[in-house]
Amino acid sequence: MKTILSLLLLTMSLSSFSMDLHFCDQSLESLPIRQDGRVKPLKVHASEMLKYLTGKTKYEKLSSTVTFCLVSLKGMGIPTEIDLKTNIEHVDLIKTLELKDGEHRVSLDSLEENATLIRSEWQKAEEHGSYKKSLASVLNKINLYKDIKTANNWLVPLVNSKEDVAWLPIGAYLTEEKVVKARETSERPFLKVLKDSEEQYEKIVDKDFLIELTYVKMQLPLVALFLTFAGLITITLFRKFNIALVFAVLTVIVQTAILAFRVYVSGRAPITNMYETVLFSGYGSLLLALVIGHFKKEKIYVFVGLAYNVCTLLMLNFAGGMLSSSISPLVPVLRDNFWLSTHVTTIILSYGALALSWVLANTVLIRKRFFFMSPADERYYSDLVYTCLKYGTVMLAAGIILGGVWADYSWGRFWGWDPKETWSLIVLCLYMAILHGKYTSWIPNGRFFLLVAAAFMSVMMAWFGVNYILATGLHSYGFSEGGAIFLGSFFIAQILLLALTYTRKDNQTHA
């Protein structure tokens, strides 16, 4: 490390911060690095790390690549002016750190200095409590920040042959011999050494890792959100169904491209974390809405599919603290792609179908409460909701059975009352009861819409609640940080809507 510092001082006569910028260039974004068991561009990794640490992908006006590089220079003995801050939300942790009122952004350097105190608090905290989870999250960020600061978090390829590639930390890769040699042909020797490494890797090994960089730069989730909004606005405000249908089809094409990119990069089905299940749920519901709408000649399904897809795409684009878009290696139980592609896909598609019934039911409740709806319209909409419920319930039952077969294959038992399994069964029982009640006319239309809207809260509990609130069980591959506030807000909003739209008269009227 001292050698690198002395070389920098010899090759550049600039201020410390300017010198660092001279080394950390935006062109490094395409540099192949190895992290989390796979090769990816530096920009992708830098963005993921900064997003996790700070909730943002930039630092002031600097890109994620330059920021990540500058922080790494600290491990080479080069001081920088980068001061990354992270959010502290838990009330008890704010008190422990003695933060001022309203102060939630804390320097990671400061947290690193208090690592002993935080670790001590973590050891004393109640098991599975929210305080312990918050402390564990902060400790993980401190450890990651240390890894970046010591220049060990990105590994650069030393290519000997296509089959022989050694991955070295950047601090170890930038040797005196390489830098001195690069100095003969370039005024930016450190950058040249790294770009030469990239060129050699692309020439001898492959360029496949650059596909992920293309995917990130295209910002397809944002494009899909724009198209979905355009379709929703067109069909609701301007009543232009054909134009809305074009936007819906374009959205499906863009989301298909997103899934294809993720499958290509990861080599697996894109349904192994919360980000991917939300993505696939919205995609599946819109696709299902288009198919059902086509065969039943019902335009409203397109509206419902677009409405739910907007919800999922808003989460994908703006709920970064809850949903991570990073592509990570699979845990062992998920590495059988056959079961992954059947069980999980079927479950998530069932959630998409049930979400269509949820949007329709809430739409009817709002129209009945604030506008006019005739008994004939109620019967019409109840048939539409009933259709969605049938698709969703059948797929959910199939997904649970497939999950049992997979559990027997992976864990040696068909059923174990794991929280995810239990809540999936609760959801299935609730929707089967509603379907049976509707089929036998035991549930009138007024009560039917209320029950369908309320039942989706059980889906959200099985889907998000087990991960964000219970945070226990064998399905640990789906766990994520945060989300409890989102889920609580959803429950409160839905309950308030049910209370606001409930009328005793409708509830007692049989159709």
Side-chain angles (χ1 to χ4, degrees), residues 52-351:
Y52 175 69
L53 290 174
T54 69
K56 303 176 182 179
T57 56
K58 292 183 179 180
Y59 174 80
E60 296 180 352
K61 295 182 179 181
L62 300 178
S63 69
S64 58
T65 303
V66 173
T67 303
F68 184 83
C69 178
L70 289 171
V71 175
S72 298
L73 289 184
K74 295 181 180 181
M76 303 176 193
I78 307 167
T80 68
E81 297 177 3
I82 302 296
D83 182 24
L84 299 183
K85 294 184 178 181
T86 190
N87 286 322
I88 301 295
E89 300 292 347
H90 201 283
V91 176
D92 292 336
L93 184 52
I94 290 174
K95 291 179 181 178
T96 299
L97 297 174
E98 299 180 351
L99 302 179
K100 298 177 182 178
D101 292 340
E103 184 181 356
H104 296 286
R105 299 282 293 176
V106 182
S107 169
L108 283 163
D109 286 315
S110 173
L111 289 176
E112 188 178 357
E113 294 173 0
N114 288 284
T116 303
L117 170 64
I118 296 171
R119 190 170 291 105
S120 175
E121 286 290 310
W122 175 80
Q123 292 172 344
K124 295 185 294 183
E126 180 183 354
E127 199 69 29
H128 302 304
S130 61
Y131 184 43
K132 194 177 187 75
K133 293 176 188 175
S134 181
L135 289 165
S137 176
V138 172
L139 286 172
N140 288 336
K141 289 182 179 180
I142 291 173
N143 291 333
L144 175 59
Y145 183 60
K146 283 182 179 179
D147 199 40
I148 298 173
K149 277 178 60 177
T150 53
N152 290 315
N153 193 254
W154 47 314
L155 306 179
V156 183
L158 178 61
V159 182
N160 299 312
S161 67
K162 188 170 184 178
E163 292 74 26
D164 184 14
V165 181
W167 295 91
L168 305 176
I170 183 174
Y173 185 85
L174 292 172
T175 62
E176 181 178 356
E177 180 183 357
K178 290 190 183 76
V179 175
V180 170
K181 185 177 180 180
R183 179 63 175 154
E184 297 174 358
T185 56
S186 173
E187 294 181 356
R188 308 178 71 182
F190 293 90
L191 183 61
K192 178 173 173 52
V193 170
L194 294 175
K195 295 302 290 183
D196 285 347
S197 169
E198 176 186 342
E199 183 180 347
Q200 193 175 22
Y201 186 87
E202 292 178 11
K203 182 179 179 180
I204 298 178
V205 184
D206 62 53
K207 297 182 180 180
D208 291 350
F209 71 97
L210 292 174
I211 292 175
E212 188 172 2
L213 182 62
T214 302
Y215 164 63
V216 170
K217 286 187 172 183
M218 290 175 71
Q219 296 187 325
L220 292 180
L222 203 57
V223 174
L225 178 60
F226 171 79
L227 291 172
T228 309
F229 259 127
L232 200 57
I233 291 170
T234 303
I235 199 172
T236 54
L237 298 182
F238 304 109
R239 308 293 181 183
K240 302 290 185 180
F241 175 75
N242 288 335
I243 298 176
L245 184 60
V246 170
F247 280 122
V249 172
L250 288 175
T251 302
V252 169
I253 292 172
V254 171
Q255 289 185 270
T256 301
I258 295 174
L259 294 170
F261 269 116
R262 295 186 73 90
V263 168
Y264 185 86
V265 171
S266 64
R268 55 168 170 76
I271 40 175
T272 60
N273 56 42
M274 275 298 182
Y275 180 93
E276 292 175 343
T277 59
V278 171
L279 167 65
F280 197 79
S281 172
Y283 169 78
S285 68
L286 180 55
L287 193 60
L288 187 63
L290 289 171
V291 172
I292 297 175
H294 172 73
F295 286 105
K296 286 191 167 288
K297 309 300 180 184
E298 294 288 356
K299 298 178 181 179
I300 194 170
Y301 282 113
V302 177
F303 161 76
V304 177
L306 288 169
Y308 178 64
N309 203 35
V310 161
C311 297
T312 59
L313 288 170
L314 284 171
M315 291 177 65
L316 296 180
N317 284 284
F318 303 111
M322 185 177 71
L323 304 175
S324 172
S325 62
S326 61
I327 300 174
S328 303
L330 293 177
V331 295
V333 73
L334 289 179
R335 288 176 187 164
D336 190 319
N337 264 315
F338 173 77
W339 293 113
L340 180 67
S341 302
T342 52
H343 160 60
V344 184
T345 301
T346 307
I347 291 287
I348 299 304
L349 281 177
S350 75
Y351 290 170

Side-chain angles (χ1 to χ4, degrees), residues 2-13:
K2 291 181 179 179
T3 303
I4 294 173
L5 177 57
S6 62
L7 281 170
L8 274 170
L9 293 173
L10 286 171
T11 55
M12 304 171 198
S13 57

Side-chain angles (χ1 to χ4, degrees), residues 62 122 206 304 374 393 429 445 449 499:
L62 300 178
W122 175 80
D206 62 53
V304 177
S374 66
T393 305
C429 290
N445 283 336
F449 296 121

Side-chain angles (χ1 to χ4, degrees), residues 39 42 44 91 161 197 212 260-261 346 407 419 423 449 459 466 503 506:
V39 180
L42 179 58
V44 174
V91 176
S161 67
S197 169
E212 188 172 2
F261 269 116
T346 307
W423 270 100
F449 296 121
V459 174
V466 172
T503 62
D506 288 332

